[in-house]
Amino acid sequence: MSPTKSIVVQHVDHFFGSGNLRKQALFDINLEISAGEIVIMTGPSGSGKTTLLTLIGGLRSAQSGSLKVVGHEICGASENELVQARRHNGYIFQAHNLHGSLTALENVQMGLEVHGMFSKPERHEQATEILETVGLGDRVNYYPADLSGGQKQRVAIARALVSKPKIVLADEPTAALDKKSGRDVVDIMHDLAKQQECTILLVTHDNRILDIADRIVYMEDGRLSKQPELAESSH
């Protein structure tokens, strides 16, 4: 029996602009990712990686083809359907996007509030627990301004994973971090994902973290292709 597919992208094109300014950003994208798999997407800047990530994440609407995320078709989905689809996902961005006026604990609790199904004591308990898991048990009441870059990104990871999402989408999560902090951050993501059996799709230029992937996909000029070095070695 084949493993369950968390993400199935078939023949997806994407355009920006309209009329004479219409520009194609993605060309006939086909990609399947199994439940629990960690996939890294790499390639030059401007190749369409973030565009594809935002489509899969329901942050913008897919225009053509088929895009199923945890069994739900989101190509042509209404705004309300996209909101529902986003509840399955955790998001981690290059900028940690923490609220400066909230403590680490309060920032992480926001990851549960959108679901509207956890009581205040449950939110407090789960947020505290995951902050301890990412090594910030002694920083729960710190504000972002009092945390290092690596610590802020750990808070962002805790917020993304606290609701035990089926899918985590990460866009350059280590770009602003030094080597050790970056390594720590992806190791935490890797371990939590394996514990929670969630799928990770991670966009990165950081060659230092490629080893955490079960698979690497390469994008160039809006097309998924073999990585150049992989294509050469297969001849």
Side-chain angles (χ1 to χ4, degrees):
M1 191 173 145
S2 64
T4 315
K5 300 295 182 190
S6 279
I7 299 168
V8 180
V9 184
Q10 294 176 309
H11 305 299
V12 165
D13 298 322
H14 196 75
F15 298 84
F16 289 116
S18 57
N20 293 336
L21 298 176
R22 193 169 189 243
K23 184 173 186 294
Q24 190 160 356
L26 297 177
F27 298 81
D28 195 30
I29 300 294
N30 293 280
L31 178 65
E32 292 191 356
I33 301 177
S34 300
E37 192 176 12
I38 297 178
V39 174
I40 283 182
M41 183 159 48
T42 184
S45 293
S47 58
K49 303 184 301 296
T50 296
T51 301
L52 180 56
L53 199 74
T54 55
L55 290 178
I56 291 170
L59 299 174
R60 56 163 60 104
S61 186
Q63 297 160 340
S64 68
S66 170
L67 210 167
K68 289 195 177 82
V69 179
V70 241
H72 298 283
E73 176 62 64
I74 59 171
C75 189
S78 67
E79 184 53 40
N80 187 47
E81 288 166 332
L82 288 176
V83 169
Q84 295 300 321
R86 288 197 286 269
R87 289 187 170 172
H88 294 295
N89 304 335
Y91 302 93
I92 304 166
F93 301 103
Q94 176 178 342
H96 41 77
N97 294 338
L98 300 180
H99 288 265
S101 60
L102 301 179
T103 64
L105 186 68
E106 290 165 338
N107 267 288
V108 174
Q109 284 176 336
M110 287 186 68
L112 293 170
E113 282 169 19
V114 295
H115 293 268
M117 54 190 278
F118 299 98
S119 67
K120 196 171 181 183
E122 284 173 329
R123 292 199 300 268
H124 186 277
E125 183 183 348
Q126 289 185 39
T128 303
E129 195 175 296
I130 198 157
L131 280 166
E132 285 169 358
T133 305
V134 301
L136 292 175
D138 58 344
R139 297 281 192 277
V140 293
N141 294 317
Y142 281 53
Y143 289 92
D146 301 318
L147 298 172
S148 70
Q151 288 170 337
K152 287 178 200 169
Q153 199 60 303
R154 287 189 206 191
V155 175
I157 288 172
R159 182 181 58 192
L161 288 165
V162 68
S163 64
K164 296 186 166 53
K166 294 186 173 75
I167 292 172
V168 169
L169 301 167
D171 194 0
E172 298 282 4
T174 63
L177 303 178
D178 61 49
K179 184 179 179 181
K180 183 178 186 314
S181 299
R183 182 81 240 174
D184 289 347
V185 157
V186 294
D187 284 344
I188 288 165
M189 283 173 62
H190 173 272
D191 294 347
L192 282 174
K194 290 302 180 191
Q195 287 165 23
Q196 298 185 5
E197 295 187 332
C198 83
T199 304
I200 292 186
L201 178 58
L202 191 158
V203 166
T204 190
H205 287 106
D206 190 347
N207 292 332
R208 303 169 302 188
I209 64 170
L210 299 182
D211 58 302
I212 70 152
D214 297 315
R215 182 160 53 109
I216 296 170
V217 295
Y218 184 79
M219 184 172 268
E220 190 160 19
D221 298 329
R223 293 177 171 84
L224 283 180
S225 61
K226 283 187 172 182
Q227 277 188 271
E229 64 271 24
L230 297 181
E232 284 164 20
S233 65
S234 63
H235 287 316

